[in-house]
Structures are given as structure tokens and as C-alpha cells.
Amino acid sequence: MDGILPLWKERGMTSHDCVFKLRKILQTKKVGHGGTLDPDVDGVLPICIGKGTKVIEYLQDSGKIYEGEITLGFSTTTEDRSGEIVETKAVDHPLSEAEIDRVMATFIGKIKQVPPMYSAVKVNGKRLYEYARAGETVERPEREAEIESFQRTTDPIYNEEAKTQSWRFQVTCGKGTYVRTLAVDLGTKLNYPAHMSDLTRLASGGFSVGQAVTLAQVSELMEKGQINQALQPVEEAMKEFPRIDLTAADWQKVKNGQVLPMKSFGIKKMPANLIAFFYQGQLVSLYGQHPEKNWLLKPSKVIRNEIAQDPHA
């Protein structure tokens, strides 16, 4: 079994929990996920199966879309609602929509973020959440993130009793963006402690809500022998990459991992992404620029050495 399964991860489970359960349901060990989702977050989690595991890194690097809620008035250890409160400041007067929208707009483009202490980023060979759980602090490396859009989607709600203000938002962002930190940094610019009070991932790796299936649905499809209804071909993960369809002669060279001249394919300048080589409609290899000879293409990742009649087979 090869392909990508767009899973709807429910709340309360880690991404690894999903992989563990799917190995049993799908009766295969070669299963991995294409981008971690926190236990408190639900949404689209691309699951790579068989040859699909060869494209995990490219799914993880892809853009994502989230919807969620930001709350001003207090911040937490985890930057979301699951953590302990670390700072409070009463929102005595609700902020205007215009002020919120103006500050949200300042996050569009390339921004710098400091990863949360409760995250999987490694510092000195140890994950940040391990330091956090041990009650230790460590200097966290600043990272760059790219925000394509960041918009308020509901009217702000002011809680007179709690002295907080909340609103829902949608964000389209690049790889490595911490949406929790986005909420906290927005609060800082608005002069209030803040946290991300709700989050759902709507799209990841080019897969969206409409394609996603729950673990229960996967189980049912397997029992009925209809899992291919939910399984997406490996090729779907590469749809944003430049594509070249090979001739039979080229396929023999690619199959054997040969270095190839760019001019053979009419390429004058190497694109930003790797080039996806297809043969008979199936993804067979990913090629990149040779590290020493910039007019040559070198295999970066071999996906298939043989062509199956059924790409799902």
C-alpha cells in the first residue's frame, strides 16, 4: 500500500498516537506523518504510507492553513489554553476592530519568532519541551516564518466579567510557523498578555478538510476493502513542484540514478524546488542541481525503480 492519507486528527491524541493506531488498522509498519499537530489541536494531518514515506519531508515543508481564536488578558506557559497562567492584565476597555486589524496586518510577510518552550525544537540535543517539563529555561534560537495572510474572521467578543477579549482568525503560513507564538506576539503588540485559545488546521501538504477522514472511517474503509477511496496517490504531494514527463530512454537513465544535463530537458535555470520526474503518469524521482556542476541535475530522492500498473499497488 502506497500513498497519502489525509487524516482528520481529533483532539486529545498526539500525531504519533495516530501513526501507531494506523499501523494496526492498515496492517503495515511503513507509516509516518507529514507535520506534527499538538494534542489540543484538531485538523488535517497528512499520513504517508509505503512509498509515500519518501515524500514526508516535502509535506512538512509545505504551507498550512489554520483557523483559531486569540484571547487577550492572560498568557500561559504553553501559549495555548492547556497551560498554566503566567501573566494577567485586565482588558478594561475593549479594543476596536480597526486597531486589531491594523496590528494583525503587520505580521504579513516574513517575521521572526522565538519557538515556545513547549515545542519539539532541539537545543543542545534536547527538545525544548523536555527542558520545560524539568522546570529549566534555555536560550531559544530565533527562527524565520512566513505569513501569507492573517485575518480576523469574527467580531471581537468582550468578556466584562473576566476582562478578556477574544476573536477568531484564519492564517495561511509557511513551514515552521508557531501559531501559538503568533497569538502571543500579537498580544504583545497590542500591549496585553495573550494566548491561542483554540486552533484547527484546515489544510496541510496540499490536502484540505474535504479530503480528510477520521480513524473510525479509515477502520471502516479497511473492513470493506475500500481504503483506496481515501488514499491519495504519492504524486499529489508533489503537485506544486516543477514536473517533467520522461521518455522511455530518459526513464532508463533516471531509473539508474544517472546525473543528467539540464539542457536535455530545456532547463536554463534551476527552479527553487526540486524537479519531479514522472514516467507513465507516476512519480519516479526528484532531481536537484548538482552541488559542483551547476549545469547538471543530480538525483535527490528516488521514489520508484519500477512502474506498477496501479500506482496504489
Side-chain angles (χ1 to χ4, degrees):
M1 187 187 297
D2 299 320
I4 315 288
L5 183 74
L7 182 74
W8 182 263
K9 188 192 86 65
E10 295 167 70
R11 299 190 181 195
M13 288 190 297
T14 66
S15 300
H16 182 71
D17 289 338
C18 295
V19 169
F20 180 77
K21 288 176 184 291
L22 284 168
R23 282 177 180 151
K24 290 187 173 182
I25 295 169
L26 301 173
Q27 297 167 16
T28 180
K29 290 182 179 178
K30 218 168 181 183
V31 179
H33 66 77
T36 304
L37 268 184
D38 292 337
D40 282 349
V41 180
D42 59 1
V44 180
L45 178 66
I47 299 291
C48 302
I49 303 156
K51 288 186 174 64
T53 56
K54 294 185 177 185
V55 299
I56 282 179
E57 62 192 280
Y58 310 110
L59 287 175
Q60 291 173 337
D61 287 349
S62 66
K64 298 167 179 65
I65 302 173
Y66 296 87
E67 70 170 13
E69 182 185 68
I70 293 167
T71 296
L72 303 181
F74 65 93
S75 59
T76 71
T77 50
T78 56
E79 301 188 348
D80 59 19
R81 65 182 177 184
S82 69
E84 296 174 10
I85 295 174
V86 290
E87 185 186 357
T88 61
K89 180 183 174 183
V91 182
D92 291 322
H93 304 286
L95 298 175
S96 69
E97 292 181 8
E99 174 67 359
I100 292 168
D101 293 346
R102 182 187 69 76
V103 177
M104 287 181 75
T106 66
F107 287 87
I108 306 297
K110 290 185 178 178
I111 63 168
K112 297 288 187 183
Q113 288 191 319
V114 175
M117 278 302 297
Y118 282 89
S119 66
V121 173
K122 279 190 174 181
V123 174
N124 300 325
K126 196 171 170 182
R127 298 196 184 276
L128 284 175
Y129 64 73
E130 293 177 304
Y131 288 108
R133 287 170 184 168
E136 301 172 23
T137 56
V138 65
E139 191 173 337
R140 291 168 279 166
E142 195 175 60
R143 294 158 56 126
E144 189 176 85
E146 187 155 7
I147 310 299
E148 189 177 316
S149 68
F150 185 31
Q151 295 180 318
R152 178 176 54 82
T153 56
T154 64
D155 294 338
I157 296 172
Y158 182 62
N159 187 319
E160 182 78 45
E161 188 179 338
K163 299 294 182 186
T164 61
Q165 189 171 17
S166 305
W167 63 91
R168 294 195 67 78
F169 68 91
Q170 187 171 116
V171 61
T172 301
C173 54
K175 66 174 181 177
T177 303
Y178 285 96
V179 185
R180 287 176 284 160
T181 303
L182 195 61
V184 170
D185 291 346
L186 174 63
T188 300
K189 280 197 175 185
L190 289 167
N191 297 314
Y192 285 100
H195 68 283
M196 185 193 69
S197 42
D198 185 54
L199 193 67
T200 294
R201 188 155 74 188
L202 301 178
S204 178
F207 302 101
S208 58
V209 176
Q211 297 167 290
V213 287
T214 63
L215 283 170
Q217 289 172 320
V218 174
S219 227
E220 188 179 339
L221 288 168
M222 276 298 285
E223 285 173 14
K224 293 179 178 178
Q226 298 173 345
I227 192 62
N228 279 355
Q229 290 182 13
L231 200 61
Q232 302 289 326
V234 178
E235 287 72 17
E236 278 295 295
M238 297 289 106
K239 60 188 177 186
E240 299 300 321
F241 282 54
R243 170 175 172 161
I244 289 176
D245 287 279
L246 302 170
T247 62
D250 287 333
W251 163 232
Q252 290 305 313
K253 295 174 186 175
V254 168
K255 182 179 177 179
N256 293 312
Q258 290 186 26
V259 171
L260 303 168
M262 288 168 64
K263 65 180 182 182
S264 298
F265 305 100
I267 303 168
K268 294 180 180 177
K269 185 181 177 184
M270 186 63 194
N273 285 331
L274 296 172
I275 295 170
F277 280 147
F278 281 68
Y279 183 59
Q280 294 185 358
Q282 294 176 49
L283 176 69
V284 292
S285 194
L286 298 170
Y287 268 64
Q289 195 166 44
H290 194 287
E292 296 161 5
K293 301 170 183 176
N294 59 15
W295 67 93
L296 292 178
L297 295 172
K298 183 182 178 183
S300 178
K301 182 76 65 89
V302 175
I303 309 298
R304 291 185 176 95
N305 278 321
E306 296 179 357
I307 295 298
Q309 293 304 309
D310 177 1
H312 290 296

